[in-house]
Amino acid sequence: MAPSFVINGGDFAAAIGKTSSGGRASSVYSEVQTSRIDYALPLPSVLTGPFKIVDGPASSAAGNPDGIASLFPNLFGQPSTMLMPTDGEHALDSGRKLKIGVVLSGGQAPGGHNVISGIFDYLQAHAKGSTVYGFRGGPAGIMKCKYVELTPDYIRPYRNQGGFDMICSGRDKIETPEQFKQAEETAVKLDLDGLVVIGGDDSNTNACLLAENFRSKNLKARVIGCPKTIDGDLKCKEVPTSFGFDTACKIYAEMIGNVMIDARSTGKYYHFVRLMGRAASHITLECALQTHPNITIIGEEEQLMLERDPHGNVQVAKIETEKMLIQMVETELEKRKLEGSYKGQFKGQSHFFGYEGRCGLPTNFDSMYCYALGYAAAVLLHSGKTGLISSVGNLGAPVSEWTVGGTALTSLMDVERRHGKNKPVIKKAMVELEGAPFKKFASMREEWALKNRYISPGPIQFMGPGSDDVNHTLLLELGLVAA
Amino acid sequence: MAPSFVINGGDFAAAIGKTSSGGRASSVYSEVQTSRIDYALPLPSVLTGPFKIVDGPASSAAGNPDGIASLFPNLFGQPSTMLMPTDGEHALDSGRKLKIGVVLSGGQAPGGHNVISGIFDYLQAHAKGSTVYGFRGGPAGIMKCKYVELTPDYIRPYRNQGGFDMICSGRDKIETPEQFKQAEETAVKLDLDGLVVIGGDDSNTNACLLAENFRSKNLKARVIGCPKTIDGDLKCKEVPTSFGFDTACKIYAEMIGNVMIDARSTGKYYHFVRLMGRAASHITLECALQTHPNITIIGEEEQLMLERDPHGNVQVAKIETEKMLIQMVETELEKRKLEGSYKGQFKGQSHFFGYEGRCGLPTNFDSMYCYALGYAAAVLLHSGKTGLISSVGNLGAPVSEWTVGGTALTSLMDVERRHGKNKPVIKKAMVELEGAPFKKFASMREEWALKNRYISPGPIQFMGPGSDDVNHTLLLELGLVAA
């Protein structure tokens, strides 16, 4: 009998809505999970002493500034901001109590729980008596005012843990006037000073629309975004990477490396691996840099990209490219056999690595990065900022030297025509063919194709050698390793 | 574009045959791989001081002793043996140089390289000047006399590494009189004192037939087996577990645990997971004990087992049970919807975890266990034993207290009629419904079905918490945790 499992997913979101305690409170933990709860998270040193908040120059937009200005009349042009250490007084009033909401939006990415614990811990340390509401099940939780008040005990079992199950996620969007109205009602009802939206490009666009809307209605609630996506396609100069990318790539690379060793040990199969991802190929490129496969297909180069739907969300992960490729190779080799130009044997074996990467235990990097992102989001709200995305930089340096600030979301936006309307969008960061990661790959791939230069990264380690490594993409983009 | 990789497997076995250096000599290693090379392996204390070799009573067979006696006239009834520490002289002559062959047979299992390094290190330490030949590509390497002479430099990059690529593996069997003749010729040509066969139930049966054959021809070459299979179906009192099972289960459990957290975070899918394995369900049972899924199907209980082919090797891993089960659930729920007895929504998501588990970096347990198995195999050959399987016991205790010996392979055998002939077989160890692992599972599964008691074991750790944990199956079978 081929052994099988069933894991109950379908009813959980409904079930958690009925309970008032956290999903993991009564769960049993593995030894590794338990050990991660108490993993001590260092903070950027600017966050540990008195700091001042320094605004930059007026900002513009990634494209079509007039269009963005008309879509965001209240927010367009506002400066990005940086935290700077100061010898003087701490910039923010620690006597002020805040009411902050937080929401997880879209697909899971390892580290989301740490963003929440970062927000919580900042408020505990610097705005004692503040309240954090976790909206349940994504943006729908805002619209329906479904939330849980977070406490130290509630948060504790989720520290440094994967998944989004502390408050669960969802893919609803706040789009229509009625939905914005519902969000306003929730903000008023809970007397919110701020909201942190943890999400990808669309969710951060949504966060900015919400910030604009609250500002236009003279609501006190501010909105700050946080860059989340394993796909790695939400990034810019000020936001060097989205969280979860590091962990997911390392999990996939472990699997790919194991399959490579398998291939090397038997020579029975040619293995075709497909990875989770949307239009951008950052995950594939990073995994290639980590493992050195013989052939790697980068969509941005191959022009095989499929048309995107109006939401930009083609579910390419559902197209079984790996099986299609095997069939194409079989057909071609059959032809060559008939022609007498091929005499070998070809057996393809397909793999898809997807869901197992989205909810892994966050790497040390993602754990620390997310905690700093959450801390920064809380600082920005505490200082009254809105419409910014939490920005932690200088990531190649030790954590103490990381920079902390907020980037104007409108500065990342362009305008797209959808259904005859002007829509603001944060442009997806695709793999740049002139960028350092791709160039590094391109400089090595011929050798990889002909000689087997496989690397097997092995499982993510939390202690000892390799445990604090950062992914190749980030190091290359930061210029910290040679391209 | 759905990102894809191609990993070249097909030509490697051919390519490695043409090269004289190891497959990894020029490879680049990940930091974790590199750190594992120097991982210090402790030995059972009986192997570190002087020992004597103590034979037990005459042995019989697992079934049909008369049949086994007639198939193994030279070996049937020989005792199993144990190493015992002694205050006196070391039992074995360290001046005697040996020529030993080693072969990897069948599917990969993490730790195989450590068996080889264990053999090599024992001979270096206790029979200086000995030679170890690695037969390439499995038993075919013996028949074709394709081998590499192993050296410290050749072995070094494979220490504590996954895969079988040091000498590669294969699935050929030495069965016909001509094939036995070829094996004899190789043994004579290389002047072999012994051969270690690292394999599963069939390969160890084959090892015993080879031992019988060599003995009947008065060849000096002895043959010792080693218990390898991730499936965990080669075990008995003296051989508490097969190597690779621990690592493979932990890799699959990591993936399952991640998918569980995913399910808990969104509630979008019911996940159906199939695991690699043959007729026995040990991997599934172990992964269930590690992760607590809602439903687990154990073939031995469900009577869904398929007929096996004459070789007992139904490739059940190729039947996509997980997709079949999703369809069955969909059909049933559709029916209930029409009847009005079901109103919910069901979306199934299927997973197959297979190849990525066979070649992972061995856990600390598999690394140490394999090293001791290899060391023991070399001791047995050094003492002139044949037809035994290397046996390392007391595995729940610290390594220093592990027991070391050899078990008569004939004592594990029964007779099966295949194609009208009597064939010796080592009975596959199936999941015992009265055994401690199954009983433990059975005592908890109702709770798991109704409440989500998911555990996410996280990635295998080589240092720190959890790194020296042993799998549940072994601990339960040894009575070291309560059933």
Side-chain angles (χ1 to χ4, degrees):
Chain A
M1 173 59 208
S4 297
F5 283 162
V6 182
I7 302 167
N8 175 5
D11 289 332
F12 187 77
I16 201 174
K18 292 177 211 150
T19 63
S20 60
S21 66
R24 295 206 195 182
S26 57
S27 288
V28 191
Y29 266 43
S30 72
E31 200 169 338
V32 175
Q33 282 181 300
T34 304
S35 74
R36 294 302 288 168
I37 290 180
D38 294 317
Y39 171 63
L41 292 165
L43 277 172
S45 61
V46 70
L47 288 170
T48 59
F51 57 78
K52 55 187 176 181
I53 291 164
V54 181
D55 283 345
S59 67
S60 181
N64 202 337
D66 293 345
I68 295 299
S70 73
L71 288 164
F72 297 93
N74 289 286
L75 295 182
F76 177 77
Q78 71 165 339
S80 296
T81 203
M82 282 285 281
L83 272 56
M84 304 293 276
T86 176
D87 291 336
E89 284 291 291
H90 201 282
L92 305 174
D93 169 17
S94 65
R96 190 175 154 229
K97 292 176 195 171
L98 298 172
K99 289 181 179 161
I100 304 290
V102 59
V103 68
L104 294 161
S105 182
Q108 292 96 282
H113 289 145
N114 276 25
V115 178
I116 300 175
S117 60
I119 296 166
F120 188 84
D121 289 357
Y122 171 82
L123 293 172
Q124 289 263 311
H126 299 288
K128 197 83 189 164
S130 293
T131 309
V132 182
Y133 299 108
F135 288 106
R136 289 184 181 279
I142 301 175
M143 296 186 276
K144 296 179 193 161
C145 200
K146 280 177 62 178
Y147 63 89
V148 58
E149 189 180 326
L150 301 178
T151 62
D153 286 350
Y154 195 98
I155 286 178
R156 183 172 153 71
Y158 298 93
R159 288 183 185 268
N160 304 306
Q161 307 292 316
F164 277 4
D165 51 318
M166 188 202 289
I167 54 176
C168 293
S169 182
R171 294 190 179 274
D172 303 273
K173 285 182 188 170
I174 300 171
E175 287 182 310
T176 66
E178 295 72 37
Q179 290 171 327
F180 277 107
K181 189 84 180 59
Q182 290 175 319
E184 289 162 32
E185 284 167 7
T186 294
V188 170
K189 183 177 170 195
L190 296 180
D191 192 29
L192 287 188
D193 294 289
L195 172 68
V196 181
V197 176
I198 303 169
D201 51 345
D202 280 352
S203 304
N204 274 282
T205 303
N206 218 223
C208 197
L209 287 167
L210 212 50
E212 174 71 24
N213 183 65
F214 287 171
R215 171 71 51 96
S216 73
K217 302 284 171 66
N218 281 318
L219 263 63
K220 70 168 176 173
R222 268 73 171 168
V223 186
I224 298 292
C226 273
K228 172 233 72 171
T229 167
I230 64 165
D231 297 334
D233 57 4
L234 171 55
K235 61 182 168 187
C236 58
K237 192 164 66 65
E238 300 86 353
V239 180
T241 190
S242 56
F243 78 76
F245 174 75
D246 188 73
T247 306
C249 288
K250 286 174 181 165
I251 291 174
Y252 297 140
E254 174 195 357
M255 301 295 108
I256 294 162
N258 288 356
V259 170
M260 285 171 160
I261 301 284
D262 200 294
R264 184 178 257 166
S265 300
T266 56
K268 190 171 169 188
Y269 293 113
Y270 286 75
H271 294 271
F272 289 69
V273 178
R274 180 168 50 102
L275 299 173
M276 185 168 259
R278 300 195 299 178
S281 304
H282 300 286
I283 290 178
T284 298
L285 182 55
E286 173 62 28
C287 290
L289 289 167
Q290 287 192 30
T291 63
H292 303 185
N294 298 96
I295 297 174
T296 309
I297 299 174
I298 302 292
E300 287 85 340
E301 185 187 32
E302 304 292 328
Q303 305 294 322
L304 287 170
M305 287 172 61
L306 294 144
E307 287 297 311
R308 278 181 279 165
D309 74 6
H311 306 285
N313 284 337
V314 175
Q315 287 195 281
V316 281
K318 292 211 166 158
I319 301 166
E320 297 190 324
T321 336
E322 74 283 19
K323 292 181 182 166
M324 188 186 79
L325 285 170
I326 290 177
Q327 280 183 352
M328 286 165 68
V329 173
E330 280 170 353
T331 306
E332 174 64 21
L333 292 180
E334 202 50 51
K335 203 185 96 196
R336 293 193 189 179
K337 260 193 185 164
L338 290 172
E339 293 170 0
S341 63
Y342 176 71
K343 289 196 180 70
Q345 265 211 322
F346 173 82
K347 273 198 219 173
Q349 180 70 48
S350 66
H351 306 266
F352 170 57
F353 300 137
Y355 293 90
E356 55 272 54
R358 303 199 314 179
C359 279
L361 274 172
T363 56
N364 287 350
F365 173 78
D366 269 330
S367 297
M368 297 186 292
Y369 180 51
C370 289
Y371 193 63
L373 284 172
Y375 230 81
V379 168
L380 295 171
L381 288 175
H382 196 188
S383 67
K385 300 287 181 187
T386 193
L388 304 182
I389 185 168
S390 179
S391 308
V392 175
N394 199 24
L395 297 175
V399 179
S400 62
E401 297 167 34
W402 286 1
T403 59
V404 177
T407 303
L409 278 163
T410 47
S411 76
L412 310 180
M413 287 188 193
D414 198 346
V415 173
E416 228 174 71
R417 285 296 278 188
R418 288 188 189 169
H419 303 299
K421 281 186 183 171
N422 277 348
K423 291 274 182 188
V425 290
I426 296 177
K427 261 190 90 152
K428 272 190 210 304
M430 305 301 281
V431 168
E432 297 286 345
L433 301 188
E434 292 304 314
F438 184 82
K439 279 176 139 175
K440 176 86 172 177
F441 159 72
S443 74
M444 300 198 284
R445 62 175 152 182
E446 275 182 48
E447 189 189 335
W448 299 350
L450 297 174
K451 297 168 187 172
N452 294 336
R453 292 287 189 243
Y454 306 152
I455 296 184
S456 185
I460 289 168
Q461 297 297 296
F462 298 117
M463 294 175 70
S467 57
D468 286 327
D469 283 359
V470 179
N471 60 79
H472 296 244
T473 301
L474 184 56
L475 291 178
L476 285 158
E477 286 182 343
L478 294 175
L480 294 170
V481 294
Chain B
M1 172 59 208
S4 296
F5 284 162
V6 181
I7 301 168
N8 175 3
D11 289 334
F12 187 76
I16 201 175
K18 292 177 210 148
T19 63
S20 60
S21 67
R24 295 206 196 183
S26 57
S27 288
V28 191
Y29 266 42
S30 72
E31 201 169 336
V32 175
Q33 281 181 299
T34 304
S35 74
R36 293 303 288 166
I37 289 180
D38 293 318
Y39 172 63
L41 293 164
L43 278 171
S45 61
V46 69
L47 287 170
T48 60
F51 57 77
K52 54 186 176 180
I53 291 165
V54 181
D55 285 344
S59 68
S60 181
N64 201 336
D66 293 344
I68 295 299
S70 72
L71 288 164
F72 296 93
N74 289 286
L75 294 182
F76 177 77
Q78 71 165 339
S80 297
T81 202
M82 282 285 281
L83 272 57
M84 305 293 275
T86 174
D87 292 334
E89 283 292 291
H90 200 281
L92 305 174
D93 170 16
S94 67
R96 189 175 155 229
K97 293 175 192 171
L98 298 173
K99 289 179 179 161
I100 304 290
V102 59
V103 68
L104 294 161
S105 182
Q108 291 95 283
H113 289 146
N114 276 25
V115 178
I116 300 176
S117 59
I119 296 166
F120 188 83
D121 289 358
Y122 171 81
L123 293 172
Q124 289 262 310
H126 299 288
K128 197 81 190 165
S130 292
T131 309
V132 181
Y133 300 108
F135 288 107
R136 286 182 181 284
I142 302 175
M143 295 187 276
K144 297 179 192 162
C145 200
K146 281 177 61 177
Y147 63 90
V148 58
E149 189 180 326
L150 301 178
T151 63
D153 285 351
Y154 195 99
I155 286 177
R156 182 172 154 72
Y158 298 93
R159 288 183 184 268
N160 304 307
Q161 307 293 316
F164 277 4
D165 51 319
M166 187 203 289
I167 53 175
C168 294
S169 181
R171 293 191 181 274
D172 305 272
K173 284 182 188 171
I174 300 171
E175 286 184 309
T176 66
E178 296 72 37
Q179 290 171 326
F180 277 107
K181 188 86 181 57
Q182 290 175 318
E184 289 163 32
E185 284 167 6
T186 294
V188 170
K189 184 177 168 195
L190 295 180
D191 193 29
L192 289 187
D193 294 290
L195 173 68
V196 181
V197 177
I198 303 168
D201 51 346
D202 280 350
S203 303
N204 274 282
T205 304
N206 218 224
C208 198
L209 287 167
L210 212 50
E212 175 72 23
N213 182 65
F214 287 170
R215 172 71 52 96
S216 73
K217 301 285 170 67
N218 281 317
L219 263 62
K220 68 169 176 173
R222 267 75 171 166
V223 186
I224 298 293
C226 274
K228 172 233 71 172
T229 167
I230 63 165
D231 298 333
D233 58 4
L234 170 55
K235 61 182 168 187
C236 58
K237 192 164 66 64
E238 300 87 351
V239 180
T241 189
S242 55
F243 78 77
F245 175 75
D246 189 73
T247 306
C249 288
K250 285 173 181 165
I251 291 174
Y252 298 140
E254 175 196 357
M255 301 296 109
I256 295 162
N258 288 356
V259 170
M260 285 170 159
I261 301 283
D262 200 294
R264 184 178 256 166
S265 299
T266 57
K268 189 172 171 189
Y269 293 113
Y270 285 76
H271 293 272
F272 288 69
V273 178
R274 179 169 50 102
L275 299 173
M276 184 168 259
R278 299 194 300 178
S281 304
H282 300 286
I283 290 178
T284 300
L285 182 54
E286 173 63 28
C287 290
L289 289 167
Q290 287 191 32
T291 63
H292 303 184
N294 299 97
I295 297 175
T296 308
I297 300 175
I298 303 292
E300 287 86 337
E301 184 187 32
E302 303 293 328
Q303 304 295 320
L304 287 171
M305 285 173 60
L306 294 143
E307 287 298 311
R308 279 183 277 165
D309 75 5
H311 307 283
N313 285 337
V314 174
Q315 287 195 282
V316 281
K318 293 210 167 162
I319 301 166
E320 298 190 322
T321 336
E322 74 283 19
K323 292 182 182 167
M324 188 185 80
L325 285 170
I326 289 177
Q327 281 184 350
M328 286 165 67
V329 172
E330 280 170 352
T331 306
E332 174 65 23
L333 292 180
E334 204 49 50
K335 203 185 97 196
R336 294 192 189 179
K337 258 191 186 168
L338 290 173
E339 292 170 1
S341 62
Y342 175 71
K343 289 195 181 71
Q345 264 212 323
F346 173 82
K347 272 200 220 173
Q349 180 71 48
S350 66
H351 306 266
F352 169 57
F353 300 137
Y355 293 89
E356 55 272 53
R358 303 200 313 178
C359 280
L361 274 172
T363 56
N364 287 351
F365 173 78
D366 269 330
S367 297
M368 297 186 291
Y369 179 51
C370 288
Y371 194 63
L373 284 172
Y375 230 81
V379 168
L380 296 172
L381 288 175
H382 196 189
S383 68
K385 300 287 181 187
T386 194
L388 305 181
I389 185 167
S390 179
S391 308
V392 174
N394 199 26
L395 297 174
V399 179
S400 61
E401 297 167 33
W402 286 0
T403 59
V404 176
T407 303
L409 278 163
T410 47
S411 76
L412 311 180
M413 289 189 191
D414 198 346
V415 172
E416 227 174 72
R417 284 299 276 188
R418 287 188 189 169
H419 302 300
K421 280 186 181 170
N422 278 346
K423 292 273 183 189
V425 290
I426 296 176
K427 264 190 88 153
K428 273 189 208 305
M430 306 300 283
V431 167
E432 298 286 344
L433 301 187
E434 292 303 315
F438 184 82
K439 280 176 138 173
K440 177 84 173 178
F441 158 73
S443 74
M444 300 198 284
R445 62 176 154 181
E446 275 182 48
E447 188 189 335
W448 299 350
L450 297 174
K451 297 168 187 172
N452 293 337
R453 291 289 190 240
Y454 305 151
I455 296 185
S456 185
I460 288 169
Q461 296 298 294
F462 297 118
M463 293 175 71
S467 59
D468 287 327
D469 283 0
V470 180
N471 60 77
H472 295 245
T473 301
L474 184 56
L475 291 177
L476 285 158
E477 285 181 343
L478 294 174
L480 293 170
V481 294

